[in-house]
Amino acid sequence: MRNILRRFSAIAAGATLLAGVVSAAPATAAAPVDAAAPVDVQLLSISDFHGYLQPPTPGQGGQIPGPNGTPVTVGGAAYLASHLKELRSGHRNSVFFSAGDNFSGWPFEVDAFQDEPTIEVLNEMGLRFSAMGNHELDVSPDFLVDHMEKGRCFGTVNEDSCFTDSTGRRFQGADFDFQSGNIVSKLTGRPVVDPYRIEWFDAPGGKRVPVGFITTTVPDTPTGSTSYQPGLRALDQLETANRYAEELKRRGVEAIVLNVHDGGSPKTAATSSYNECDSAWGPVIDLAKQVTPEIDAVVSGHWHSRFNCMLPDPEGNPRPVVEAGNHGALINEIRLSLDPSTGEVIRDRTSSVNHAVTRDVAPDPAVKKIVDYWAGRGAERFAELVATQTGSFTRTPNTAGESTAADLFADVHYWDANRTRDGKADLALISATPAKGSTAVRGDLPFAKGSHPGDADGRILFGESWNAYGYGNPVLTVGVTGRQLDAILEQQWQKQADGSVKSAPLAVSHNVSYSYDPARAVGDRVEPSEVLIDGKPLDPERTYRVAALAYTVIGADGYSAFEGYTDPVRNGPDHEVFLDYLREHKVISPAPLDRVRIKG
């Protein structure tokens, strides 16, 4: 594509092109040399909403740096909807879309309802389409397509899925769909969802002109800690984008946008205003510098970052490269002007700006009603009784590093894996206090009544179980040799740069016991012959099937000895697994702390 009027004037843009990056607010190309009745198209986008229907706290991204370093309070679905309406006003050709990770977030009132509340809100806002982010695959491809897109139910209606929404109707699925061209089935080689979408916009004389939106997703999605999907693989993003740009060209589409769920960051992310470029770096910046000039703009996400750049394409012509933060903090607006006779983008008219979703406007009443409804249902669900306990489960370790809470969750992994034929495990592990990253052992389950009015001594509420264990990670069953397993256990003690030794205890399932000698050197504290699995000593040559969270298996919390694991099987997600366990084990009791012994 030879986009007309590509000439760029740094003076007119009010910015200087240095090292391939333009810093400007808003980012814009130069004024046109000539333009005959162009078709103006408004692209409005968000990214990484993650179900933050209620206004996020400052720690959740509810306060961001604004112009001149002034903090700006942002976010909240009802405020987002109001800003969207204002931005759309007066625009005949406008489309609202997402760069992915709309759901699979952390707010309880959406997470506990299979993220259906997020879909209801985005439907109300008129979201047209979305990139398939990595978190869109936190359950499965079938869940995304059949449930979230099409509204098909599973389990018990209004208990496991298809909850009654704010209108009194059963969940019907999204009014929008998802795209990604580079995440494909290992079996068929075909994309999980459509690779691109074509939107048509009104032009003078009753004509319509198309804009193509190609989507790619961060390549580590098939092996990411929450999205781990052994049946998928990722294709190269650059090759994928270029291939589908050529396909769109053959279909007569001249204006093309790359909507990529992969991101970047300003050099000084903590202080950069949301409309700065600030020498942005990262995968999407590298991609934007290389991807075909046929693509006229690059919209990104995933890094939860904020930048607004105008970067040169491989032919030296500028195009917007943007990311609109996370949790509903920003809306990015790109203005394209299309030549009505050719459909090509008039590059010199292109502009981009990030708009802060401030809370100084009236919240949209329709969206606020939905948000309030789900907040109320969340409070009700939190108070549901799921099981009872005869004693406290705490994270407090004994001298051997063992705790009743961590032991419980290791047993939950073991139980979950052995519910299925493919996932069967010989043992289970969970990181109680990892060497790095975060632990899924997030809270205690005290016997005594908590602060919630629906609680009582010995009661385990739905919300209490949710808060005690898990962060949306799947339990995997993988193969490791006995020698690897010994090395994994040895990594519970890791020597630090200053010579100190950090303890990173692993809890084991009830069918495992072992001893260690703290007087011995790091890496040689566990005697393999004293590791007993179902009463039998560890066999260094045997392959054992181990159940553990994906986060642990991929080495994200510091146990690198898992590397080289074989035949992964994905079991259930942590929160749901624990609830299933409690519903089957109606009364639970703390086990004796006798799985790990100290020698000497």
Side-chain angles (χ1 to χ4, degrees), residues 114-136:
Q114 298 294 349
D115 294 294
E116 293 175 13
T118 305
I119 298 297
E120 184 181 1
V121 163
L122 294 176
N123 283 347
E124 176 63 29
M125 289 184 188
L127 191 73
R128 181 70 173 158
F129 58 91
S130 174
M132 182 182 74
N134 53 303
H135 283 288
E136 261 86 39

Side-chain angles (χ1 to χ4, degrees), residues 442-526:
R442 297 170 52 217
D444 299 331
L445 283 173
F447 175 83
K449 176 186 181 300
S451 60
H452 196 282
D455 202 6
D457 289 355
R459 292 168 66 96
I460 302 175
L461 305 182
F462 188 115
E464 289 177 327
S465 76
W466 209 264
N467 290 339
Y469 164 73
Y471 41 68
N473 225 240
V475 178
L476 304 183
T477 303
V478 299
V480 298
T481 66
R483 188 169 285 104
Q484 271 183 284
L485 186 53
D486 176 52
I488 291 166
L489 293 175
E490 291 286 5
Q491 287 189 325
Q492 294 177 98
W493 305 275
Q494 298 188 14
K495 188 167 287 188
Q496 305 300 297
D498 62 2
S500 63
V501 175
K502 183 173 185 177
S503 176
L506 287 162
V508 296
S509 51
H510 61 81
N511 64 323
V512 180
S513 65
Y514 69 93
S515 60
Y516 71 91
D517 187 347
R520 299 181 66 171
V522 171
D524 189 31
R525 294 185 172 184
V526 178

